[in-house]
Amino acid sequence: CRMYRLHGFARLVGTVVALLSLATPAAANTASLQLKVIHAHNRGKVVDPRLSALAKEFARLSFTSYELKDEAAFNLDIGASFRIQLPSKAWMVIHARELTADGKLRLDIDVQQLKFKTTVVIAEGATLAVGGPQHDGGTLILALTWPRKSAP
């Protein structure tokens, strides 16, 4: 597992890219994932334009502002983990537990310092938003996308 540190609260977009399978072609048991770390709060009514695709889904939540704090793209093999530091300075670990019989990816998400742990299942082509730990008067939302593979 490799570690990546965010470059501070002022920087809205991280450019962290993790390749956990070094110099090996993507296999059937490797998922290319995208993570957006979003700070949802009620200070003002601002939605980061980079979150416009997700903003409609967030309309049902009790927050008025959504800021993109970081994003990462990474490949994750079954059994491997990806680690990233959240704006709260706590480390989050995403562990690929298994590929289910129907082709979905089962992931464990864990932030030990904040006693936050959950297991999620995501289908290829889907985005899954998980209400995460509290942060700076609001909540961190972890939006995980498993894009469909493009045709060759």
Side-chain angles (χ1 to χ4, degrees):
C1 150
R2 293 185 178 195
M3 295 187 291
Y4 297 87
R5 181 176 299 267
L6 296 182
H7 300 286
F9 294 122
R11 187 170 180 175
L12 294 177
V13 177
T15 55
V16 177
V17 176
L19 296 175
L20 295 175
S21 4
L22 299 173
T24 58
N29 64 347
T30 299
S32 295
L33 301 171
Q34 299 168 354
L35 172 70
K36 292 185 186 311
V37 179
I38 302 158
H39 182 214
H41 57 82
N42 291 315
R43 292 188 304 264
K45 291 187 177 183
V46 178
V47 176
D48 189 308
R50 294 165 292 180
L51 299 173
S52 60
L54 295 172
K56 293 175 192 171
E57 300 301 322
F58 293 158
R60 299 182 310 234
L61 301 177
S62 61
F63 300 105
T64 57
S65 291
Y66 300 91
E67 297 176 59
L68 180 62
K69 289 295 189 181
D70 197 19
E71 58 186 350
F74 54 97
N75 292 334
L76 196 57
D77 290 331
I78 302 302
S81 296
F82 172 79
R83 185 173 159 140
I84 187 169
Q85 191 175 33
L86 298 174
S88 64
K89 303 295 183 202
W91 287 94
M92 178 177 70
V93 177
I94 300 173
H95 177 75
R97 186 190 293 182
E98 69 176 333
L99 197 58
T100 64
D102 60 352
K104 295 178 181 171
L105 185 61
R106 187 177 317 274
L107 302 166
D108 292 327
I109 301 174
D110 187 14
V111 185
Q112 286 186 346
Q113 298 96 319
L114 303 176
K115 296 181 180 169
F116 175 84
K117 186 171 188 169
T118 190
T119 299
V120 297
V121 176
I122 187 170
E124 191 172 11
T127 296
L128 175 73
V130 177
Q134 293 183 354
H135 173 69
D136 193 23
T139 298
L140 292 179
I141 297 174
L142 312 169
L144 195 60
T145 301
W146 185 11
R148 289 196 189 282
K149 293 181 184 128
S150 53

